[in-house]
Amino acid sequence: MFDPVLKIENLRLLADTKSGQAEILRGVDLTLGRGEILGVVGESGSGKSSLVNAIMGLTGDSLRIDGQIHLNGTDLVSLSKAQMRAIRGHQLAMVFQDPMTALNPVFTIGTQLSDVIRRRFPTISKRDAKEKAETALGRVGLADAHLRLENYPLQLSGGMRQRVMIAMALLCEPEILIADEPTTALDATIEAQIVELLRDLRNDFAGSIIFISHHLGTIAQLCDRVAVMYGGRVLEVGPVRETLGHPLHPYSRALVECEVDDRPPDVPLSFIPGRVPETIDKPAGCIFASRCPFVIDACRQLIPELREVGNEQKAACLRLEEIA
Ligand SMILES: Nc1ncnc2c1ncn2[C@@H]1O[C@H](COP(=O)(O)OP(=O)(O)OP(=O)(O)O)[C@@H](O)[C@H]1O
Ligand SMILES: [Mg+2]
């Protein structure tokens, strides 16, 4: 039975801008099962990072958050900053796209890993923390782990730094590991190795993973389910094989049709005719209507809810049955 560790309900993220109120997330509904790997895909600007930043409580003071994010029944949206800090590094840990944003260049890898361990396990001895750090580096496939502990971040390659970040996140023993495009800054070979590593780790990592990527191929290899985001909404969600094999929503269909394997990792998915909606746009109906080949008048008047169509696939489109 599906056992959700995270349940997001009608999550909205709003910002006041000079041009009016921006809706960065427009009512996201999403669940993450215990032990599952959930992929999140969508064009650049669709709100993927905003969603995971909201889960981590890292949206900043200028944004207003509305809705609920239940982690094991506790609504994270209602927690204070101090309470959220206590959850980060314990229940929640994140691997960023660029590890240098999270690693401090002036401290050795060993010092930074030990700090994380001692914050998580305050009574651990210095020696045990160092040993734990070394074991973790070995586990993420870094050779000569004891030597690496003495290195500074800039002495490591990009792929090695990303492994260090993954080790750091896993040392927190989080219930949920969030990886926001952890492989886009890496070349294709290293990307494949990191994906392989995450796949291996899932066997002995008891938690769940949210994995954001532009690459449908990577998502297909790694994830159990996938959510397709567009314009601050989830337009489709379902088991990865069904959803990528037979996408229901016109947007997911376009995404899958457009996916080409040799697209460089940093090129966004911008080949669907038209443009991604601005966050200040306020369409009365479906957010994809202006680019949708199946659009009818009703689509411009009603915001479709996610609904299940079988095979646990859900999509937010008025015309699912007609266009199937
Ligand atoms: N603090 C903010 N204030 C105003 N707008 C913001 C803020 N943060 C994000 N946005 C806007 O929200 C939208 C979604 O951004 P987000 O970074 O979540 O997209 P993304 O799906 O992660 O894109 P990418 O694939 O490029 O990483 C963008 O239009 C972005 O400009
Ligand atoms: Mg992003």
Side-chain angles (χ1 to χ4, degrees):
M1 204 186 79
F2 188 76
D3 174 20
V5 60
L6 191 76
K7 200 160 184 224
I8 298 171
E9 283 174 340
N10 199 17
L11 187 69
R12 296 181 355 121
L13 197 59
L14 310 166
D16 290 321
T17 72
K18 277 186 218 141
S19 339
Q21 190 182 65
E23 282 195 78
I24 298 162
L25 297 177
R26 300 172 194 258
V28 169
D29 292 307
L30 197 59
T31 50
L32 173 69
R34 216 171 287 281
E36 90 166 338
I37 306 187
L38 174 71
V40 181
V41 293
E43 275 167 290
S44 188
S46 56
K48 306 180 297 295
S49 295
S50 302
L51 173 64
V52 291
N53 289 339
I55 298 169
M56 291 291 289
L58 295 172
T59 46
D61 288 334
S62 62
L63 301 184
R64 209 167 68 247
I65 187 164
D66 214 51
Q68 285 148 22
I69 305 173
H70 290 289
L71 173 66
N72 290 323
T74 302
D75 181 15
L76 301 183
V77 173
S78 66
L79 297 186
S80 68
K81 280 186 186 162
Q83 287 171 316
M84 235 8 248
R85 257 197 307 278
I87 284 186
R88 279 196 298 272
H90 282 72
Q91 281 116 304
L92 301 174
M94 181 142 159
V95 177
F96 295 90
Q97 175 174 352
D98 174 8
M100 282 315 284
T101 57
L103 289 170
N104 190 326
V106 303
F107 292 112
T108 63
I109 299 298
T111 303
Q112 297 187 57
L113 287 177
S114 295
D115 279 356
V116 166
I117 295 166
R118 296 174 74 197
R119 223 177 25 234
R120 177 73 170 87
F121 307 100
T123 56
I124 197 169
S125 72
K126 260 189 167 170
R127 217 178 111 193
D128 287 350
K130 192 172 171 200
E131 206 176 292
K132 217 169 156 60
E134 192 175 325
T135 309
L137 288 186
R139 209 168 136 212
V140 296
L142 269 189
D144 301 324
H146 63 291
L147 297 177
R148 294 295 169 209
L149 290 176
E150 307 305 322
N151 284 159
Y152 290 88
L154 290 169
Q155 293 174 292
L156 304 182
S157 71
M160 287 175 177
R161 287 199 285 263
Q162 202 52 290
R163 284 173 195 263
V164 169
M165 283 305 304
I166 293 170
M168 201 176 256
L170 291 173
L171 279 168
C172 300
E173 298 179 14
E175 283 186 64
I176 301 174
L177 174 72
I178 295 175
D180 187 358
E181 305 208 42
T183 55
T184 24
L186 306 172
D187 68 51
T189 322
I190 310 289
E191 173 181 6
Q193 289 173 10
I194 297 282
V195 169
E196 195 62 46
L197 169 67
L198 286 171
R199 238 189 350 199
D200 288 349
L201 288 173
R202 79 169 298 182
N203 296 329
D204 48 12
F205 167 62
S208 317
I209 300 177
I210 300 179
F211 182 85
I212 299 179
S213 176
H214 276 129
H215 287 177
L216 300 188
T218 307
I219 296 272
Q221 280 175 39
L222 185 65
C223 301
D224 303 308
R225 286 193 312 138
V226 59
V228 179
M229 284 193 73
Y230 181 79
R233 289 187 65 104
V234 171
L235 295 188
E236 179 157 357
V237 61
V240 79
R241 187 188 297 227
E242 287 82 356
T243 305
L244 298 182
H246 302 283
L248 301 172
H249 196 286
Y251 177 65
S252 331
R253 290 189 192 187
L255 262 193
V256 170
E257 274 164 25
C258 290
E259 175 78 355
V260 280
D261 286 336
D262 56 358
R263 183 169 45 81
D266 54 344
V267 175
L269 296 160
S270 57
F271 30 68
I272 299 171
R275 60 162 184 84
V276 181
E278 303 280 345
T279 49
I280 51 160
D281 291 348
K282 301 260 180 328
C286 173
I287 191 79
F288 189 57
S290 65
R291 291 169 87 185
C292 183
F294 302 102
V295 67
I296 54 172
D297 280 349
C299 304
R300 301 188 205 276
Q301 288 150 22
L302 270 172
I303 298 180
E305 295 295 323
L306 278 173
R307 56 198 172 96
E308 191 158 336
V309 186
N311 296 331
E312 294 164 52
Q313 263 179 288
K314 287 183 191 173
C317 171
L318 289 182
R319 306 194 67 203
L320 286 179
E321 289 76 11
E322 295 156 78
I323 64 174

Short mmCIF file of all heavy atoms in Angstrom, two decimals, residues 43-50 52-53 97 180-181 212 214, ligand 2:
data_model
loop_
_atom_site.label_atom_id
_atom_site.label_comp_id
_atom_site.label_asym_id
_atom_site.label_seq_id
_atom_site.Cartn_x
_atom_site.Cartn_y
_atom_site.Cartn_z
N GLU A 43 10.09 22.07 -18.06
CA GLU A 43 10.97 23.07 -18.66
C GLU A 43 11.56 24.00 -17.61
O GLU A 43 11.01 24.15 -16.52
CB GLU A 43 10.15 23.93 -19.64
CG GLU A 43 10.02 23.33 -21.00
CD GLU A 43 8.96 24.07 -21.80
OE1 GLU A 43 7.77 23.93 -21.47
OE2 GLU A 43 9.33 24.78 -22.73
N SER A 44 12.63 24.69 -18.03
CA SER A 44 13.24 25.70 -17.18
C SER A 44 12.18 26.73 -16.78
O SER A 44 11.40 27.17 -17.61
CB SER A 44 14.36 26.37 -17.98
OG SER A 44 15.09 27.19 -17.14
N GLY A 45 12.12 27.05 -15.51
CA GLY A 45 11.15 28.04 -15.04
C GLY A 45 9.81 27.45 -14.65
O GLY A 45 8.88 28.18 -14.31
N SER A 46 9.69 26.12 -14.67
CA SER A 46 8.39 25.53 -14.35
C SER A 46 8.13 25.44 -12.85
O SER A 46 7.03 25.12 -12.42
CB SER A 46 8.25 24.15 -15.00
OG SER A 46 9.31 23.32 -14.61
N GLY A 47 9.16 25.72 -12.03
CA GLY A 47 8.94 25.77 -10.59
C GLY A 47 9.53 24.60 -9.82
O GLY A 47 9.24 24.43 -8.63
N LYS A 48 10.38 23.82 -10.46
CA LYS A 48 10.93 22.61 -9.82
C LYS A 48 11.77 22.98 -8.59
O LYS A 48 11.57 22.43 -7.50
CB LYS A 48 11.78 21.81 -10.82
CG LYS A 48 11.04 21.45 -12.10
CD LYS A 48 11.90 20.67 -13.08
CE LYS A 48 13.12 21.40 -13.61
NZ LYS A 48 12.86 22.57 -14.44
N SER A 49 12.71 23.92 -8.78
CA SER A 49 13.56 24.30 -7.65
C SER A 49 12.74 25.00 -6.57
O SER A 49 12.96 24.79 -5.38
CB SER A 49 14.68 25.24 -8.10
OG SER A 49 15.53 24.57 -8.98
N SER A 50 11.78 25.82 -7.00
CA SER A 50 10.94 26.53 -6.02
C SER A 50 10.20 25.52 -5.15
O SER A 50 10.05 25.72 -3.94
CB SER A 50 9.94 27.44 -6.73
OG SER A 50 10.63 28.36 -7.54
N VAL A 52 11.10 22.36 -4.35
CA VAL A 52 11.95 21.69 -3.35
C VAL A 52 12.50 22.69 -2.33
O VAL A 52 12.67 22.34 -1.16
CB VAL A 52 13.07 20.82 -3.99
CG1 VAL A 52 12.46 19.62 -4.68
CG2 VAL A 52 13.97 21.60 -4.91
N ASN A 53 12.72 23.93 -2.76
CA ASN A 53 13.15 24.94 -1.78
C ASN A 53 12.05 25.18 -0.75
O ASN A 53 12.33 25.38 0.43
CB ASN A 53 13.53 26.24 -2.47
CG ASN A 53 14.83 26.11 -3.25
OD1 ASN A 53 15.64 25.23 -2.97
ND2 ASN A 53 15.04 26.97 -4.23
N GLN A 97 22.63 21.51 -7.33
CA GLN A 97 23.18 21.36 -8.68
C GLN A 97 24.68 21.65 -8.69
O GLN A 97 25.46 20.92 -9.27
CB GLN A 97 22.46 22.34 -9.61
CG GLN A 97 23.03 22.36 -11.00
CD GLN A 97 22.20 23.24 -11.92
OE1 GLN A 97 21.14 23.70 -11.55
NE2 GLN A 97 22.68 23.46 -13.11
N ASP A 180 18.51 18.40 -6.49
CA ASP A 180 18.04 19.35 -7.51
C ASP A 180 19.05 19.39 -8.65
O ASP A 180 20.09 20.04 -8.54
CB ASP A 180 17.86 20.75 -6.89
CG ASP A 180 17.21 21.72 -7.88
OD1 ASP A 180 16.94 21.32 -9.03
OD2 ASP A 180 16.99 22.88 -7.49
N GLU A 181 18.76 18.69 -9.71
CA GLU A 181 19.64 18.59 -10.87
C GLU A 181 21.09 18.34 -10.45
O GLU A 181 21.99 19.10 -10.81
CB GLU A 181 19.56 19.88 -11.70
CG GLU A 181 18.13 20.19 -12.08
CD GLU A 181 18.02 20.97 -13.36
OE1 GLU A 181 18.75 20.63 -14.30
OE2 GLU A 181 17.20 21.89 -13.42
N ILE A 212 15.32 15.88 -9.22
CA ILE A 212 14.95 16.79 -10.30
C ILE A 212 15.95 16.65 -11.44
O ILE A 212 17.15 16.65 -11.20
CB ILE A 212 14.97 18.26 -9.81
CG1 ILE A 212 13.96 18.46 -8.69
CG2 ILE A 212 14.70 19.22 -10.96
CD1 ILE A 212 13.93 19.87 -8.14
N HIS A 214 16.43 17.50 -15.98
CA HIS A 214 15.89 17.81 -17.30
C HIS A 214 15.86 16.56 -18.18
O HIS A 214 15.25 16.57 -19.23
CB HIS A 214 16.81 18.83 -18.00
CG HIS A 214 16.54 20.23 -17.62
ND1 HIS A 214 17.52 21.09 -17.20
CD2 HIS A 214 15.40 20.94 -17.60
CE1 HIS A 214 16.98 22.26 -16.94
NE2 HIS A 214 15.70 22.20 -17.18
MG MG B 2 15.83 24.74 -10.93
#
